[in-house]
Amino acid sequence: MQYKSQAVAKPYFIAAIGLFVGQILFGLILGLQYVLGDFLFPAIPFNVARMVHTNLLIVWLLFGFMGGAYYMIPEESETELFSPKLALALFWIFLVAGALTIVGYLAVPYATLAELTGNNLLETMGREFLEQPLPTKLGIVVVALAFLFNITMTVLKGKKTSISIVLLLGLWGLAVFFLFSFYNPANVVLDKFFWWWTVHLWVEGVWELILGAFLAFVLIKTTGVDREVIEKWLYVIVTLTLITGIIGTGHHYFWIGTPEYWQWWGSIFSALEPIPFFAMTVAYGASCTPWLRSTTTRTARRSPRRTATWLSMAPTPWST
Ligand code: HEM
Ligand SMILES: [Fe+2]
């Protein structure tokens, strides 16, 4: 670890792993309930186990993203975190809020939970993945904003690299699209339309930017490949992700009463959606191989000795 404040990432990673184990446990309960119809009934009904399973997924991913950002940003920005204390406080707030929400799902019927937590003030519950009670949703927004403040201030006071800018774009996008979880129009078509803004534009939009930034960072650290090369790919991935991911949202609009043109837009652009994933795994990999590097960058030509070292190390078809 180059910077002391990177250590705040540790509890985040531990929590992410713990919650992931919880998710798998509830996945196994779900699977068993398919096989043995009354397994754990009535203590944990299928719909409750399912909600716990998917909500744990969201929470551990958020812990992972936050921990990853706290670890990566100081190294990228070449400065300590703006406030490690805030990062630690947010960790405990988020963990306690998350745990209370899960306990709420398991301890009381969902309708009672909705009543107890003020769903009548602003009706946001009852939609898959966005089942969280209002106080939890508000808590997520507060934690996300304070986290973004901490990370953004760190980048502002330090070095600004393409990787940290892409990460910030992804994280800010994640927070902005979560705001659509508060918008729940009575018209079901409208509701579904905007519900996908959170669900699809997270998974197939901003999460990919976050993933792309982390992957770029890890590749630079583990392979020693030039930042210049990785950053070039990162721009390609960001562009592909945003073009295919945003218009590709249409693949959810086929049967919800939206205009017919969505069938064309949704089909074509969602067919292109795997390309950024492909680019991330294969193109990043390729950019680490000497053959492609030497043809795409001048750097390899400038330092043939380093290229030769890579040639001997890279176990890829191109290097043989
Ligand atoms: C032992 C491992 C797992 C088992 C047995 C399992 C089982 C299940 C079951 C039975 C469902 C409900 C399907 C239905 O409603 O009919 C489900 C839903 C889901 N699981 Fe898992 N799961 C596992 C791991 C995971 C992991 C690792 C992830 C993601 C990281 C995941 C993400 C999801 C999601 C997103 C849904 C909701 C799908 C939808 O609504 O379309 N699961 N899982
Ligand atoms: Fe989608």
Side-chain angles (χ1 to χ4, degrees):
M1 231 177 315
Q2 289 176 17
Y3 296 89
K4 241 181 26 213
S5 55
Q6 282 178 293
V8 295
K10 198 172 167 189
Y12 281 86
F13 291 147
I14 294 171
I17 293 167
L19 294 165
F20 176 65
V21 170
Q23 185 207 348
I24 298 294
L25 198 72
F26 277 87
L28 292 173
I29 292 175
L30 286 171
L32 272 172
Q33 287 181 334
Y34 262 116
V35 184
L36 314 164
D38 56 359
F39 180 68
L40 289 183
F41 189 82
I44 309 178
F46 182 86
N47 63 316
V48 173
R50 194 185 196 288
M51 190 163 61
V52 173
H53 180 65
T54 53
N55 279 236
L56 280 173
L57 161 64
I58 296 170
V59 179
W60 77 250
L61 269 172
L62 291 178
F63 269 114
F65 288 163
M66 290 194 236
Y70 286 135
Y71 184 84
M72 189 180 104
I73 287 296
E75 272 191 36
E76 279 296 294
S77 308
E78 295 177 5
T79 174
E80 293 287 354
L81 265 185
F82 178 73
S83 170
K85 277 202 187 110
L86 177 63
L88 213 56
L90 291 175
F91 168 78
W92 288 109
I93 295 170
F94 198 41
L95 190 69
V96 170
L100 281 179
T101 307
I102 301 296
V103 169
Y105 290 159
L106 290 168
V108 283
Y110 191 67
T112 315
L113 185 67
E115 245 172 69
L116 288 175
T117 55
N119 192 52
N120 53 338
L121 298 175
L122 181 65
E123 291 179 353
T124 67
M125 291 173 73
R127 294 170 297 165
E128 194 191 8
F129 306 118
L130 304 181
E131 292 97 344
Q132 309 83 27
L134 189 59
T136 309
K137 284 203 182 79
L138 291 170
I140 292 175
V141 171
V142 171
V143 168
L145 286 180
F147 156 74
L148 282 168
F149 168 74
N150 206 355
I151 291 293
T152 308
M153 291 304 281
T154 311
V155 174
L156 286 179
K157 82 179 164 91
K159 204 171 140 194
K160 291 137 199 88
T161 66
S162 322
I163 294 182
S164 48
I165 301 296
V166 170
L167 181 70
L168 276 180
L169 188 70
L171 292 170
W172 275 100
L174 181 148
V176 167
F177 286 118
F178 186 67
L179 296 180
F180 287 94
S181 72
F182 292 93
Y183 182 54
N184 186 11
N187 180 311
V188 176
V189 173
L190 274 183
D191 169 29
K192 285 280 171 224
F193 189 91
F194 286 108
W195 176 73
W196 286 113
W197 281 38
T198 304
V199 180
H200 173 104
L201 291 178
W202 263 17
V203 180
E204 285 146 285
V206 293
W207 284 7
E208 275 180 271
L209 302 189
I210 299 169
L211 190 69
F214 285 151
L215 204 58
F217 175 78
V218 168
L219 278 168
I220 289 175
K221 294 288 157 186
T222 54
T223 67
V225 66
D226 282 351
R227 178 174 283 276
E228 194 189 321
V229 179
I230 287 287
E231 283 178 349
K232 207 158 54 184
W233 281 111
L234 189 57
Y235 288 132
V236 175
I237 287 160
V238 169
T239 312
L240 288 173
T241 297
L242 292 179
I243 293 174
T244 61
I246 293 171
I247 309 177
T249 316
H251 62 220
H252 299 289
Y253 292 167
F254 294 169
W255 298 283
I256 62 167
T258 46
E260 257 179 51
Y261 60 80
W262 275 117
Q263 294 185 9
W264 285 99
W265 288 100
S267 310
I268 292 167
F269 282 89
S270 65
L272 299 173
E273 267 185 38
I275 295 176
F277 286 106
F278 179 78
M280 245 185 256
T281 49
V282 180
Y284 269 170
S287 70
C288 298
T289 65
W291 180 83
L292 204 81
R293 275 176 41 78
S294 57
T295 54
T296 54
T297 65
R298 274 169 298 140
T299 325
R301 255 177 276 143
R302 272 192 251 120
S303 50
R305 210 155 47 98
R306 260 161 86 199
T307 311
T309 316
W310 274 320
L311 261 170
S312 63
M313 291 191 315
T316 60
W318 293 293
S319 63
T320 55

